[in-house]
Amino acid sequence: MNYLEYQPYRTMNFTINKFQTIFIGVWVIFNAISSSGQDFGIESQLPYSMYDLKYNVLIDKEINNQYIGDLDVSSLLEKYDGFDYDVRYNQPLQFAEVIDKDYLMNEGKWENVPDGRIWRLKLSSEEALSINLKLKNVVLPGESRIWLVDKYSTSISGPYNQNDVTEDGILWTSIVEGNTVVLELFEDSNFSGQSTLTVDEVNYGFIDFSTGSSGNCQKDVVCAEGDNFRDPIRAVAWFTIEGRFLGSGTLLNNTSGDETPFFLTSDHCFKPEFDPASTVIYWNYQSATCGDRSGSLVDNQIGAQIRARRAVGDFVLLELKHKPFNFSNVYYAGWDRKNEPVRVVSIHHPKGDVKSINTSSRKVISTIGYNSDIFDKNGSYWMVNWRSGANEPVSSGSGMFDSTSGLLIGSLDGGKSGCDDGDQELNDWYAKFNFNWDGGGEPNNSLKYWLDPLNTNAENLSGKNPEIASQNLIISRKARFRLNEAAMYAQIVQAADFVKSGGELRLVEHSEGSSLMPINQLQETPNDFKDLEKLKEDFDNKTIKELEDLFKSTDEVKLIEYLKEIKDEK
C-alpha cells in the first residue's frame, strides 16, 4: 500500500446546492499523485478505518471515549466576541478556549490491520462547536500517519506525517467542526511500537463558523464588487494561531519570482509568546454565490516562521512551511511602494467569516500615523473611508489594493468602521507598504530584505500565478462507494475548476479502476494507464464527449446533474 511522500492537504467541503453540503477529503482530490509524479491510489489518503472493506478487515466501531468537559459558551462569547476586539483594541480575536490535557496512548485502542496497526481515541464535548488539537511527543516513522475525523466521518483533518511535526515533537492540527473528533494513528508495520503521541491541548471552539458571524454590510468576494480583483482575492487567506486566535493576511510575490511563500499580516495578531509553527493557513474560505455567506475552512496548510516583524507599522512577514499546493489555486500578490493617493479595495475575513471585499468611497488620505487624520504627504499610514463593506475583528493584517492596478499598497492596523448604524462612515488606518518596506532598517524588521532579494530597489512588482508542477488529478469512480456517492460529484466540480484554469482533461483507466484525470503540463503518462478508447466498458464514446464538453464549460450544475444520470445508468 502506497502513501504520499509529501504533505497532503487537509479537508474540503463542497456545496452541491443550497441545501446540501458534502464533505470529502481534499487529499482524495489533490494528492492522488505526489510531486514526483508517482501514482497513488485514492484510498491511501483516507483514514484506514474508512476503507477497511478493501482489505476485508472489520474495523471495530467502538472507540474509547474521553469526555473533555464543557465550558460556558455564553460567557466565552460575551468575553471574547462582545465587542470589536482586534480592530479597536489591537488584540487578535479568540475563537477557542484551551483545555490542557495529557491523554496518553494507553487511553486509546489499538487494532491490527494489513500493513500495520491503527490506534484511535475519541474526544467529545457536548457544547463544543469545533475542536483542534496540539499534540506533543509525536513520532511518525516511515509511512505512519495521523488523522482527525468528526463523528460522522464527513469532516476530516489530515493525513499528517513526520514532515508536519516540529523539531521538538509538536503537531498542530486544523479545525474539525462539531463536538466530537476521533484521533486516528496508522502505524507502519516496519516501525511497530515506535509511533508515539500525547494529546497536550484540546482547543474548544465556541464560535460557530457555519452561521456567518460578520455584519450585514459585508460583500462576498464572489459578488460583482470582486470582478476586477479575481487574482488578488486568491492571495488572501484566513489563519489561526495557537489553535485559538484568528487573523487575515496576503500571500506576496518577491523580485526573484521564486514563489517563496511570504505571507503578510499584522504584528498585533502574533503576540511574542505565540509559536509561529502553530499557524494554520486556510485558503479559499469564501462563498460560492453572492450573498450566501458560507464557505469551507478545510483547504489548509500548517506551519510558518517569522522572517520580519515590527510593532511600529504593525506588520509580521511570515514564510510558510511549504508552498501552497497547485489545487489551492493561489496567487502571489504584487505590490507597489507608491505614495500617491488612489481609490482602493480591501480583501479580508471580517470576524473570521468568509472572504469579503470593501470598496472605498474616495481616494485614501496620507496621514502622519495610526488613528490620525492629520494630512502628511509622506506620512506612514493611509486613512480610508468605505463606500461598501467595513472592517471588523479578524480583518486586521489584511491588504489594501489599488483599485486600478490591483497591487497591494498597505496592510490594516485598525480603525473604527463597522456594519452598525453610522459605523460604516468611520475611518480605518492601513500602514503603508512603503513605510514597512524600510521598516527598522534590518532584515528582522523590514520587508525589503525578503521581498527584494535581488536588491533591484523595485518601486512595484506585478503579481504572479504559481508555476504548475507536473501533477495529475485522478478521480476514481470507485471512490464514491467509500465516500458516499456524492463524493464523485464533488471531485468533478473541483476538477472542472482545474480544467477551466488551464488544465487538460483526459479519461483514463488504471489499476485502481476507471478514472477521470485532468492533467496540466503532464510530461509522461504513467505506464499502467491505458488508452482513452479502452474505457468503453465504463463510458461509451458519446458519454466521453459530453463529459469533455461539460468540463470545458462553466456550467457546473449541468455537470453534476449529468454525472448523477450516469450514476443512475451504471
Side-chain angles (χ1 to χ4, degrees), residues 272-508:
E273 64 268 26
F274 287 175
D275 181 1
S278 70
T279 306
V280 183
I281 304 289
Y282 294 82
W283 304 108
N284 301 307
Y285 177 39
Q286 58 200 57
S287 297
T289 58
C290 183
D292 182 55
R293 304 304 290 167
S294 65
S296 169
L297 291 174
V298 291
D299 177 4
N300 60 70
Q301 63 183 85
I302 65 172
Q305 57 183 317
I306 295 175
R307 289 304 191 187
R309 72 182 305 167
R310 193 171 185 233
V312 179
D314 192 35
F315 85 90
V316 164
L317 185 68
L318 301 175
E319 182 178 340
L320 307 185
K321 187 172 182 180
H322 61 79
K323 295 179 182 180
F325 287 88
N326 294 348
F327 295 95
S328 281
N329 193 32
V330 301
Y331 182 74
Y332 291 80
W335 39 261
D336 195 332
R337 296 199 282 130
K338 74 170 69 179
N339 206 28
E340 296 296 326
V342 292
R343 291 186 182 273
V344 297
V345 299
S346 181
I347 304 166
H348 59 120
H349 285 276
K351 276 196 172 180
D353 208 344
V354 290
K355 199 180 299 181
S356 304
I357 187 167
N358 303 342
T359 55
S360 65
S361 58
R362 60 184 72 92
K363 289 183 178 181
V364 294
I365 298 172
S366 178
T367 71
I368 62 172
Y370 175 69
N371 203 25
S372 171
D373 59 2
I374 300 174
F375 172 78
D376 180 352
K377 180 179 180 180
N378 296 312
S380 55
Y381 273 72
W382 297 115
M383 185 177 74
V384 63
N385 180 267
W386 302 112
R387 182 185 75 236
S388 172
N391 288 320
E392 298 186 79
V394 194
S395 298
S396 284
S398 59
M400 169 189 282
F401 298 87
D402 182 326
S403 291
T404 301
S405 67
L407 301 179
L408 183 137
I409 64 169
S411 54
L412 179 63
D413 188 333
K416 300 176 181 179
S417 74
C419 287
D420 293 338
D421 289 345
D423 285 355
Q424 208 169 352
E425 302 300 319
L426 301 177
N427 296 318
D428 291 323
W429 284 263
Y430 288 72
K432 290 183 179 181
F433 188 80
N434 185 54
F435 178 66
N436 286 329
W437 183 259
D438 291 306
E442 299 294 334
N444 67 350
N445 56 28
S446 63
L447 296 175
K448 69 178 181 181
Y449 290 91
W450 305 100
L451 300 183
D452 187 17
L454 302 183
N455 199 26
T456 65
N457 200 32
E459 291 287 333
N460 55 66
L461 181 69
S462 298
K464 76 182 296 277
N465 288 301
E467 298 294 329
I468 304 297
S470 295
Q471 189 174 41
N472 307 347
L473 174 61
I474 299 177
I475 301 173
S476 172
R477 297 180 68 238
K478 298 171 79 175
R480 69 178 193 228
F481 299 113
R482 297 186 180 86
L483 287 173
N484 301 320
E485 293 188 352
M488 179 181 175
Y489 314 144
Q491 295 176 50
I492 295 297
V493 171
Q494 189 67 30
D497 286 338
F498 178 74
V499 172
K500 284 185 287 182
S501 65
E504 176 188 351
L505 172 68
R506 294 185 188 177
L507 294 171
V508 300

Side-chain angles (χ1 to χ4, degrees), residues 221-222 226-227 229-237 286 347 355 357:
V221 292
V222 73
D227 284 347
F229 308 99
R230 293 297 162 210
D231 285 338
I233 284 169
R234 292 158 48 211
V236 176
Q286 58 200 57
I347 304 166
K355 199 180 299 181
I357 187 167

